[in-house]
Amino acid sequence: EAVRSFAMKQYQRGNFVVIGGDWNLRLAKTEFPHQTEDKYLFWVHDLPDDAFPSDWKIVADPNVPSVRTVHQAYIPGDNYVTIIDGFITSPNVEVVAVETINLNFAHSDHHPVKAHFRTINKTN
């Protein structure tokens, strides 16, 4: 709620808002193949639909997972993977591109996500 409140105030002031990070909430409703038992998925919850106004954008690469379970070493197709890393943008920000860099979880239980944004100048 604190992040949302801060973001809303900034947008109301005319600022361009891009919030990025590990949300610890699923940003994209995708299902990647896995064999992970349900007992290891206690942490998986979706970002609520009403977390931000409907004209705000959730920005995530739907093709590459950004996080994996840590109950075992990474085994593709075995570990549960999903998307919890990404960005949320205000309506005055255009998403040019977003990409999750697939490193096969070699260095972490997360993959890096990069994005390119540009401002939208509305003239009346």
Side-chain angles (χ1 to χ4, degrees):
E1 182 54 40
V3 171
R4 175 190 158 89
S5 176
F6 180 79
M8 295 294 112
K9 287 177 186 171
Q10 293 306 310
Y11 178 62
Q12 289 167 354
R13 291 179 181 160
N15 292 322
F16 303 95
V17 181
V18 176
I19 313 163
D22 169 358
W23 290 86
N24 280 329
L25 295 163
R26 200 161 43 175
L27 299 179
K29 297 185 189 312
T30 58
E31 289 296 328
F32 298 99
H34 71 91
Q35 301 297 318
T36 303
E37 295 177 51
D38 286 346
K39 69 180 181 180
Y40 298 113
L41 303 180
F42 60 90
W43 56 275
V44 180
H45 303 283
D46 293 332
L47 180 71
D49 290 336
D50 63 351
F52 286 86
S54 61
D55 56 346
W56 286 58
K57 295 175 232 48
I58 297 172
V59 182
D61 179 349
N63 302 308
V64 179
S66 68
V67 68
R68 69 170 180 89
T69 53
V70 295
H71 67 286
Q72 65 182 24
Y74 180 60
I75 302 170
D78 196 7
N79 289 70
Y80 176 83
V81 294
T82 194
I83 299 169
I84 66 172
D85 302 278
F87 306 88
I88 295 179
T89 64
S90 57
N92 58 351
V93 174
E94 177 184 356
V95 180
V96 176
V98 62
E99 178 186 10
T100 300
I101 310 301
N102 188 348
L103 302 174
N104 289 310
F105 300 104
H107 308 290
S108 173
D109 59 328
H110 289 261
H111 280 144
V113 180
K114 67 178 184 175
H116 180 192
F117 304 99
R118 94 173 115 225
T119 59
I120 298 173
N121 294 319
K122 294 183 180 180
T123 56
N124 295 335

